[in-house]
């Protein structure tokens, strides 16, 4: 009975909001989805690119400046940006 009850309790908390202490709530399901998208992004990108991303992809996209100068690969840079944009859009959509 306890295992069944524990399972039911977990189902009830999906998508619920939990308090943050400041009167606002945090959507638990959305946070889990965002974490999963970040993990997928980490698998796709090289480690040196991940260091600059941070938690907020929207903030990263706003302040990102493409590499310039000799040896800069504009095509790879655009592919990197497109990958980050798609992850950001997935988080915003929620799927």
């Amino acid at each position: 009975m306890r295992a069944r009850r524990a399972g039911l309790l977990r189902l009830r908390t999906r998508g619920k909001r939990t308090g943050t202490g400041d009167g606002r709530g945090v959507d638990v399901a959305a946070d889990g989805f965002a974490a999963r998208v970040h993990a997928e992004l980490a698998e796709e990108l090289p480690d040196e690119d991940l260091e600059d991303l941070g938690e907020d992809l929207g903030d990263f996209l706003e302040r990102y400046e493409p590499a310039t100068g000799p040896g800069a690969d504009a095509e790879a840079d655009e592919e990197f940006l497109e990958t980050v944009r798609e992850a950001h859009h997935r988080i915003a959509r929620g799927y």
Side-chain angles (χ1 to χ4, degrees):
M1 183 69 162
R2 284 187 183 192
R4 186 171 177 205
R5 177 172 279 182
L8 291 174
L9 290 175
R10 265 189 246 114
L11 287 175
R12 288 186 194 148
T13 61
R14 260 191 217 162
K16 294 246 182 192
R17 297 175 87 69
T18 58
T20 59
D22 62 358
R24 296 179 306 162
V26 175
D27 190 341
V28 176
D31 286 348
F33 178 72
R36 192 168 68 232
V37 172
H38 274 275
E40 291 171 6
L41 192 59
E43 290 177 6
E44 290 182 40
L45 298 176
D47 289 339
E48 61 268 7
D49 289 338
L50 290 176
E51 293 172 3
D52 297 332
L53 281 182
E55 288 293 315
D56 186 0
L57 298 180
D59 182 48
F60 171 80
L61 290 169
E62 286 178 9
R63 61 182 169 79
Y64 182 77
E65 293 183 21
T68 58
D73 187 356
E75 187 176 317
D77 202 44
E78 186 56 39
E79 184 178 330
F80 166 72
L81 274 177
E82 185 58 35
T83 302
V84 176
R85 277 189 206 110
E86 177 59 30
H88 177 64
H89 291 307
R90 283 181 60 206
I91 292 170
R93 286 192 312 257
Y95 62 91

